[in-house]
Amino acid sequence: MAQNFPLTPNASPLTGMKKFEKPIYITKPFMPPLEEFTEGLKEIWDNQWLTNSGPLLQRLSGAMSKFLDIENLTLFSNGTLALQIGLQGLGITGEVITTPFSFVATTHALYWNKIRPVFCDIEPDFYTLDPQKVEAAITPWTTAILAVHVFGHPCNLEALADIARRHNLKLIYDAAHAFGVKVGGKSIAQYGDLSMFSFHATKIYHSIEGGMLVFPDPSLRTEVDYLKNFGFKNEVEVVMPGTNAKMNELQALMGLHVLKYLPALIEKRRTLADRYRQRLKAIPGIHLPPQPPAGVDYNYAYFPIEVDEQEYGMSRDQLYENLKKYNVFARRYFYPLICDFACYQNVPVTDPLEVARGVAERILTLPIYFDLELEQVEGICGLIEFRSGFVRSNV
Ligand code: T4K
């Protein structure tokens, strides 16, 4: 049965449970050394070239190609516009099977293309689309699957590719969380007909705001490049009603600098995630996702836990509110489900979404970012652990 948190903030000599002095948010963007960034700014000042495919953008594009070992990619002002344009570039229409357990932009990108989302359930371990449910949701109007590597966990790549091949559907990945993830030694960007990455400030890798499309078909490149620049083919020809979704030079500069640190960013998060696992694994009612399967190089983009109210003795929402009192701002990513937002409530949903509904009620993503200290992770775990009444054997 749920109970109130017994401690008031700042008043815990008994347990050492103190309110953190400064707020600890779910994430903090990594800031490269200021001197390095300033050097790059000088170049931008000299160039007097701020956007529209400038030299730094070209450099970032090259660096990305090398990093991902992929030729066909193009950069955008943000991930949402990248996905909208990618869908348009592939000519997707009708119905698209997608997940309700994601950031709302996944479905918005369909809506902006007048495509009907068909929400389908997820699997309970890594929260990605359940291939069996996907297959059951296919209708004569289905043209594509839009799956999400949610929290950076790879979808069931083989099963989805098999379904897409057998039903002649495009397979599109919202890989907003999955930058730096590898499967079988290959970048996750190398799977499917199209992948979108977000480089938003809250992501493991960022360019302040930014996005990228990666695709195996080189002929898509021209189309999406026109679409992100008003449809201009040259100075006097506009070949399609495009929009403005160009990455600017300041974004590209940040992207170039942060990319150098990516291995260190992943490594630090791995250490933090290991500590969370160690400290939380034996707490009754706190469930962690399994370790990523063999062959997956994970990026530790998020640290989700599930709170079982009965076992833990407190609901997810109570834990979330109580952590806030101690200056810990965990997030309920992704609650509510996208299909439950007012703007999508009129979309018919036939799948009962049993797994997704349960996960959305129990999920809590804990702070994880480069500047977070192990002691802070200890403190957060202490708050979670204390409430459970669980006593560590080494205390
Ligand atoms: N698909 C998926 C699966 C996505 O997750 C996203 C974005 C997209 C598509 C769309 O990609 P973009 O168009 O954004 O490139 C945040 C991000 O704004 C959003 O990019 C992200 N997903 C989503 C999961 O998280 P909010 O509304 O939760 O952000 P906000 O402003 O509450 O920030 C979270 C915390 O981060 C703050 O409490 C403090 C910290 N923070 C944030 C910013 C912006 C900082 O410390 N510094 C900062 O500059 O959506």
Side-chain angles (χ1 to χ4, degrees), residues 224-385:
V224 292
D225 279 348
Y226 288 163
L227 282 169
K228 77 171 171 189
N229 188 28
F230 311 102
F232 273 109
K233 185 175 181 188
N234 55 45
E235 271 183 39
V236 290
E237 281 181 274
V238 172
V239 291
M240 56 189 73
T243 186
N244 180 0
K246 295 174 269 90
M247 178 181 273
N248 68 46
E249 289 290 276
L250 279 167
Q251 289 175 291
L253 176 64
M254 183 62 94
L256 279 164
H257 282 286
V258 178
L259 192 58
K260 293 190 286 186
Y261 293 90
L262 187 72
L265 302 185
I266 294 178
E267 181 50 27
K268 173 69 185 285
R269 281 169 184 255
R270 192 189 59 71
T271 317
L272 299 168
D274 282 353
R275 184 61 62 91
Y276 269 131
R277 270 187 189 277
Q278 233 176 51
R279 286 292 313 273
L280 298 177
K281 69 180 180 205
I283 301 182
I286 300 294
H287 299 282
L288 312 172
Q291 291 282 7
V296 172
D297 293 326
Y298 184 47
N299 66 357
Y300 305 91
Y302 291 82
F303 196 88
I305 61 171
E306 283 183 50
V307 182
D308 180 317
E309 179 172 0
Q310 293 303 317
E311 267 185 275
Y312 181 63
M314 180 188 278
S315 72
R316 181 274 313 271
D317 288 347
Q318 285 169 307
L319 175 61
Y320 163 79
E321 292 298 338
N322 286 329
L323 287 173
K324 280 207 262 184
K325 291 182 192 156
Y326 287 81
N327 245 343
V328 178
F329 295 84
R331 291 293 288 262
R332 291 166 291 184
Y333 293 142
F334 287 101
Y335 162 85
L337 294 179
I338 298 178
C339 52
D340 292 338
F341 284 122
C343 61
Y344 293 117
Q345 269 174 5
N346 60 353
V347 173
V349 182
T350 48
D351 189 318
L353 305 176
E354 212 178 314
V355 177
R357 291 208 176 282
V359 172
E361 289 300 322
R362 295 187 298 270
I363 199 89
L364 192 66
T365 45
L366 300 180
I368 189 161
Y369 51 87
F370 183 74
D371 289 336
L372 191 67
E373 299 299 337
L374 282 171
E375 296 70 46
Q376 292 173 309
V377 169
E378 286 284 336
I380 295 165
C381 293
L383 290 168
I384 297 170
E385 186 178 63

Side-chain angles (χ1 to χ4, degrees), residues 54-71:
L56 291 165
L57 185 284
Q58 305 284 350
R59 211 181 296 158
L60 180 59
S61 210
M64 279 292 169
S65 259
K66 204 167 154 204
F67 178 74
L68 299 170
D69 195 20
I70 281 183
E71 235 172 89

Side-chain angles (χ1 to χ4, degrees), residues 24-29 31 77-83 101-107 148-151 174-177 196-203 208-212 302 329-331 333-334 369:
I24 298 188
Y25 296 112
I26 175 87
T27 190
K28 243 188 204 178
M31 304 303 283
S77 50
N78 62 63
T80 304
L81 282 170
L83 188 55
F101 187 75
S102 181
F103 189 59
V104 71
T106 311
T107 300
V148 180
H149 303 305
V150 68
F151 302 140
D174 177 335
H177 302 171
M196 177 282 282
F197 293 86
S198 164
F199 300 158
H200 185 263
T202 54
K203 298 293 182 288
I208 306 171
E209 293 253 10
M212 178 172 70
Y302 291 82
F329 295 84
R331 291 293 288 262
Y333 293 142
F334 287 101
Y369 51 87

Side-chain angles (χ1 to χ4, degrees), residues 89-106:
L90 283 174
I92 307 296
T93 56
E95 289 180 2
V96 167
I97 297 170
T98 192
T99 169
F101 187 75
S102 181
F103 189 59
V104 71
T106 311

